[in-house]
Amino acid sequence: MTDEPDAVSGATVLSVVLSVVIPMYNEEEVLPALVSRLRPVLAGLGEPYEVVAVDDGSTDRTAELLAAFRLGWPELRIIGLRRNSGHQAALTAGLDRALGAYVVSIDADLQDPPEKIPEMLALAQGEGLDIVYGIRADRASDTGFKRWTAGLYYRLVRRLAGPAVPSQAGDFRLLGRPAVDALKALPDQQRVYRLLVPWLGFPSGQVTYERAPRPAGQSKYPLGRMIRLAVDSVTGFSAAPLRIATWLGGFAFLVCMALMAYTLSAHFLDHTVPGWTSLFTGVLFIGAVQLICVGLLGEYVGRIYTAVQNRPTYFVGSDTARDAERDPARDTKATGGETPVPHQRSGSRT
C-alpha cells in the first residue's frame, strides 16, 4: 500500500490496484497458514495491493498475531472493531475502507483458495468485468448436512430473489470500484452480500474451485447463524413471506367456513358431542396459522424498527492506515461527523 492513497470518493484513479478484505473472528489457529499462502500469491501479482484484515472483536490472540505479522508485512492493514458485529458487518467495514481499484473478499478459514485471486483479477481486467464470483464446484469437504442445507438455501433465495443469484457462490468474490461504490451507497443495514451483489446488475464472470476443509479452528457459521442468514436473506429481499401469510389466512378462512358448516349440521342433527375432535383440531390449526402470520409480520416490523433507529452496524476502534491520521476531513466523513482524537489512529463509523 502506498503512503499517500489518491482515492477520494471513488472519483480518482486509485494507486492501490487490489485490496483483499478478510473478516476475522477468533482465527488465531489458522492465521499463520493464511499468511503463508496469501502473501506469496499477492506478491506475485506485481501490482500495488493491501490486505485489509478486519478483526471483528476477537477474544483470542487474533489481534496480537495480526500486529506481529504486520511488522514484516507493510501491506497488511488492520481494522479493529470495538465489538463483535457479525460477519457481514465486518465485511461491510472492510469494503467501506478498502482503497483498491479491485476488492476481493475472502474468509480467513482457507476453505476458499487465495490462489484463485490472480485468476479472478485477470478475468476482471481482461474482460472489463466489475464482479467475479468464486463458485464452489465441489463441496465434498463439507458434511452431508451442510451440503443439504446450503443447497436448500440457494434454491430458496434464487426463487425469491431471482435467477441472477449464482448457485454455490459465497462471500469469495472480486468487486470493481464501481460495484464497491454502489454497495457503499445502499442504505441497507442488515446486509447479505451474496444477494446484494447480484442485485446490482454489473457485468460479472465466474471462477470455479474445489472447497477445501478448514485447516484449523472452528467454523464461525453454526446452525443458528445459518438460520439467521437465511431469515435475513428472505426478509431483506422479498415480500413473499407476507404473501404466504395472506395465503395461509385465506386457507384458514376456508377451513373455518367448512367447520362452521359442519358445526351447524351437527347441531341440527343433534351430533354436537362427536364434533369435539374436529373443533379442537380446527382451533389448534387457526391458532398455529395466526402465530405464523404474526411471526412473519414481526420479522418485517423488526427490520423497519432497525432502519428507523439508523444505528451503525459497526464501530471502528482502530485502523492502521495512515490516511486517516494525515487527512482528518476524510476520516470525519467516514465516521459520520465524529472527529477522531488528534494523533490517534482511531475513529467510529456511523
Side-chain angles (χ1 to χ4, degrees):
M1 187 179 67
T2 58
D3 289 342
E4 295 289 342
D6 299 327
V8 179
S9 70
T12 58
V13 178
L14 303 177
S15 58
V16 178
V17 174
L18 179 67
S19 296
V20 180
V21 176
I22 313 175
M24 297 182 181
Y25 178 67
N26 291 348
E27 297 289 2
E28 64 173 348
E29 295 182 32
V30 78
L31 259 180
L34 172 66
V35 173
S36 65
R37 286 180 58 179
L38 179 62
R39 186 173 184 179
V41 168
L42 299 179
L45 292 175
E47 302 280 5
Y49 72 89
E50 66 170 354
V51 176
V52 183
V54 183
D55 180 16
D56 188 20
S58 298
T59 56
D60 63 357
R61 296 177 59 244
T62 296
E64 179 183 342
L65 291 178
L66 285 172
F69 282 123
R70 187 174 183 271
L71 293 177
W73 193 8
E75 291 83 4
L76 177 60
R77 175 182 173 187
I78 306 170
I79 296 177
L81 303 188
R82 295 188 183 277
R83 63 178 181 84
N84 179 247
S85 302
H87 180 269
Q88 298 296 296
L91 182 55
T92 300
L95 292 176
D96 284 350
R97 291 175 171 248
L99 303 174
Y102 295 93
V103 181
V104 171
S105 59
I106 185 172
D107 290 337
D109 56 14
L110 289 176
Q111 291 191 281
D112 304 325
E115 292 79 9
K116 284 289 182 178
I117 293 178
E119 183 179 346
M120 300 170 84
L121 180 61
L123 181 62
Q125 291 176 329
E127 299 188 13
L129 303 177
D130 290 309
I131 303 172
V132 178
Y133 298 102
I135 304 296
R136 302 158 181 169
D138 184 1
R139 303 188 63 146
S141 61
D142 292 337
T143 64
F145 178 76
K146 183 66 175 292
R147 292 195 297 269
W148 179 78
T149 54
L152 180 63
Y153 169 80
Y154 284 109
R155 286 194 297 271
L156 175 64
V157 297
R158 285 170 66 88
R159 178 175 293 274
L160 294 178
V165 178
S167 180
Q168 302 302 326
D171 288 315
F172 181 35
R173 67 179 71 85
L174 178 144
L175 301 173
R177 177 49 53 178
V180 174
D181 290 339
L183 286 172
K184 291 168 64 175
L186 294 177
D188 302 58
Q189 290 183 312
Q190 297 175 336
R191 298 190 173 195
V192 181
Y193 283 102
R194 61 191 67 188
L195 298 182
L196 271 178
V197 173
W199 177 83
L200 295 176
F202 284 94
S204 63
Q206 297 181 354
V207 169
T208 59
Y209 65 95
E210 294 183 4
R211 185 170 172 83
R214 172 186 268 268
Q218 300 295 324
S219 172
K220 304 306 183 296
Y221 258 96
L223 180 60
R225 288 196 177 185
M226 292 172 59
I227 294 175
R228 183 70 255 176
L229 177 66
V231 172
D232 287 342
S233 301
V234 172
T235 57
F237 271 82
S238 175
L242 293 178
R243 288 191 288 269
I244 292 175
T246 303
W247 297 334
L248 287 174
F251 179 67
F253 175 76
L254 294 177
V255 172
C256 287
M257 294 299 294
L259 287 175
M260 183 181 298
Y262 172 76
T263 302
L264 291 175
S265 63
H267 174 73
F268 288 120
L269 296 175
D270 294 328
H271 295 302
T272 54
V273 174
W276 179 85
T277 301
S278 60
L279 180 62
F280 184 70
T281 303
V283 170
L284 290 179
F285 174 75
I286 299 302
V289 170
Q290 288 176 336
L291 288 175
I292 291 174
C293 295
V294 170
L296 292 174
L297 289 172
E299 286 292 333
Y300 284 92
V301 171
R303 296 184 70 89
I304 296 172
Y305 177 67
T306 301
V308 170
Q309 284 181 315
N310 198 28
R311 291 177 181 172
T313 56
Y314 64 87
F315 283 100
V316 172
S318 61
D319 188 346
T320 57
R322 301 176 183 177
D323 63 307
E325 183 180 27
R326 295 190 178 185
D327 189 356
R330 182 176 183 271
D331 191 70
T332 300
K333 179 180 179 181
T335 58
E338 180 181 347
T339 304
V341 178
H343 309 298
Q344 292 185 1
R345 296 176 183 177
S346 63
S348 61
R349 161 82 178 171
T350 60

